[in-house]
């Protein structure tokens, strides 16, 4: 079997890191190059990385100044020497045979990307939800990108996949951006002549309140909109049948931005004015296509009506409606996680 380079960015995950690294070390596929990219982590993670490298020659550690998740993944890509590439987030963990299953699917089907199902897990969920397929599916280039844009059975996450390393030649994650997968994963799938999805749960995605996806900062949400817009502009001409899905995803995130803008109004005025105007223009053009997965209540419908207006009064009303919704629909307290990867 070909060597797999597993890239693991590490930052601020000391309580979870050993679980992650143990799950990678225990893979039934033994021919691994495990690249631990310490992105200037301020806790005990660097020492843990060094410990694993000292005890297992498959581990290599890259210590670097903090540059963010994209920069850490890019550093791993630059150092990787394997024929296959995989990614793992350092607070998640793998099933023991994940890479063996994915590599077998690649070689059996002649594919260049293999994708497995994943479960979203936290310590409170007795039956974590599973995302993926219920039967093996082989897709050509356009079929894979089209399914990705619909964001159901195939999603942007890079970590439940195994890639032929050549697909990453010249492709890197956007530096300094959150939700960096959105405008990156499709570019890799678009290079693959064949992608295989297998009905096997191999990856455990740990949902914690300190992770980037769970952290509701206006910068993160703006990054998410910008990544979505970049992908939309690149692909809408090729995949007009996916317009509604892409537009709805972007509008959903713009809705989050408006809900956060009032609390960050000084920052919005100083730094994000042009971006907010661009988002509002997109909303004016595409709001009629918004198709939420679940029916919206009255507060959600009212908030949507504010998106075409990049004005303080619109942000204030969106904030008030958001507070009203949270008051009427309180969520259970979440146990705090480690600091997000900046």
């Amino acid at each position: 079997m070909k060597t797999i380079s597993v890239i693991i960015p590490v930052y601020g995950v000391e309580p979870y890191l050993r679980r992650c690294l143990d799950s990678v070390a225990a893979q039934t596929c033994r021919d691994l190059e495990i690249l631990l990219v310490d992105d200037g982590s301020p806790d005990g993670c660097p020492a843990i990385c060094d410990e694993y490298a000292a005890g297992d020659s498959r581990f290599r550690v890259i210590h670097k100044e903090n540059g963010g998740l994209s920069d850490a993944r890019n550093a791993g890509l630059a150092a990787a020497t394997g024929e296959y590439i995989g990614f793992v987030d350092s607070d998640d963990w793998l099933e023991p045979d994940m890479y063996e299953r994915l590599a077998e699917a690649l070689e059996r089907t002649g594919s260049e990307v293999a994708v497995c199902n994943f479960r979203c897990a936290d310590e409170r969920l007795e039956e974590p939800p599973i995302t993926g397929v219920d039967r093996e599916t082989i897709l050509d280039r356009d079929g894979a990108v089209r399914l990705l844009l619909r964001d159901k059975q195939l999603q942007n996450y890079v970590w439940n996949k195994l890639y032929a390393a050549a697909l990453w030649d010249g492709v890197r994650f956007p530096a300094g951006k959150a939700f960096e997968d959105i405008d990156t994963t499709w570019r890799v799938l678009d290079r693959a002549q064949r992608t295989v999805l297998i009905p096997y749960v191999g990856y455990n995605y740990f949902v914690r309140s300190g992770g980037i996806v769970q952290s509701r900062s206006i910068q993160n949400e703006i990054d998410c909109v910008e990544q979505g817009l970049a992908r939309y502009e690149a692909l809408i001409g090729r995949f007009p049948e996916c317009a509604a899905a892409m537009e709805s995803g972007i509008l959903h995130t713009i809705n989050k931005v408006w809900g956060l803008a009032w609390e960050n109004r000084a920052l919005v005025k100083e730094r994000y004015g042009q971006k907010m105007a661009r988002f509002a223009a997109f909303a004016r053009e595409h709001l009629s296509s918004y198709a939420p997965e679940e029916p919206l209540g009255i507060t959600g419908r009212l908030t949507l009506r504010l998106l075409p207006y990049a004005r303080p009064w619109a942000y204030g009303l969106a904030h008030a409606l958001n507070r009203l919704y949270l008051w009427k629909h309180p969520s259970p307290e979440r146990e705090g996680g480690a600091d997000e990867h900046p």
Side-chain angles (χ1 to χ4, degrees), residues 153-207:
Q153 296 169 310
L154 180 59
Q155 297 184 319
N156 295 299
Y157 306 121
V158 294
W159 31 248
N160 64 323
K161 302 171 177 67
L162 187 62
Y163 312 85
L167 296 177
W168 288 92
D169 290 346
V171 177
R172 291 296 184 266
F173 295 94
K177 298 289 185 181
F179 296 95
E180 63 291 324
D181 300 353
I182 294 175
D183 195 39
T184 304
T185 303
W186 77 264
R187 298 182 186 277
V188 178
L189 293 180
D190 198 39
R191 292 179 163 201
Q193 296 302 310
R194 183 176 296 175
T195 294
V196 58
L197 286 66
I198 61 174
Y200 155 76
V201 181
Y203 195 94
N204 297 281
Y205 166 48
F206 185 53
V207 182

Side-chain angles (χ1 to χ4, degrees), residues 285-326:
E285 184 175 355
H286 300 291
L287 193 56
S288 61
S289 67
Y290 184 53
E293 293 185 7
E294 299 179 2
L296 293 174
I298 186 170
T299 55
R301 294 195 300 271
L302 288 172
T303 303
L304 281 178
R305 298 298 177 187
L306 300 171
L307 302 189
Y309 307 101
R311 296 289 186 270
W313 63 264
Y315 309 148
L317 284 173
H319 175 71
L321 289 167
N322 185 54
R323 293 291 297 269
L324 177 61
Y325 177 84
L326 293 175

Side-chain angles (χ1 to χ4, degrees), residues 177-309:
K177 298 289 185 181
F179 296 95
E180 63 291 324
D181 300 353
I182 294 175
D183 195 39
T184 304
T185 303
W186 77 264
R187 298 182 186 277
V188 178
L189 293 180
D190 198 39
R191 292 179 163 201
Q193 296 302 310
R194 183 176 296 175
T195 294
V196 58
L197 286 66
I198 61 174
Y200 155 76
V201 181
Y203 195 94
N204 297 281
Y205 166 48
F206 185 53
V207 182
R208 61 188 179 92
S209 58
I212 288 177
V213 174
Q214 300 302 316
S215 297
R216 295 195 68 213
S217 78
I218 193 167
Q219 178 63 68
N220 284 354
E221 300 298 351
I222 286 174
D223 285 351
C224 187
V225 176
E226 291 191 309
Q227 296 296 302
L229 286 172
R231 187 180 69 174
Y232 179 85
E233 291 165 358
L235 294 177
I236 188 60
R238 282 176 55 192
F239 300 100
E241 69 276 19
C242 298
M246 287 193 284
E247 291 162 7
S248 293
I250 293 167
L251 289 166
H252 176 73
T253 312
I254 293 175
N255 201 6
K256 293 181 181 180
V257 172
W258 257 236
L260 293 167
W262 180 254
E263 296 174 328
N264 297 274
R265 53 193 179 277
L267 188 63
V268 167
K269 181 178 180 180
E270 175 186 347
R271 188 182 302 177
Y272 300 132
Q274 290 185 344
K275 294 180 179 182
M276 300 294 277
R278 182 188 179 203
F279 299 168
F282 184 90
R284 283 194 295 273
E285 184 175 355
H286 300 291
L287 193 56
S288 61
S289 67
Y290 184 53
E293 293 185 7
E294 299 179 2
L296 293 174
I298 186 170
T299 55
R301 294 195 300 271
L302 288 172
T303 303
L304 281 178
R305 298 298 177 187
L306 300 171
L307 302 189
Y309 307 101

Side-chain angles (χ1 to χ4, degrees), residues 144-159:
V145 175
R146 186 177 294 112
L147 193 63
L148 180 75
L149 295 177
R150 290 175 176 154
D151 197 34
K152 300 292 186 183
Q153 296 169 310
L154 180 59
Q155 297 184 319
N156 295 299
Y157 306 121
V158 294
W159 31 248

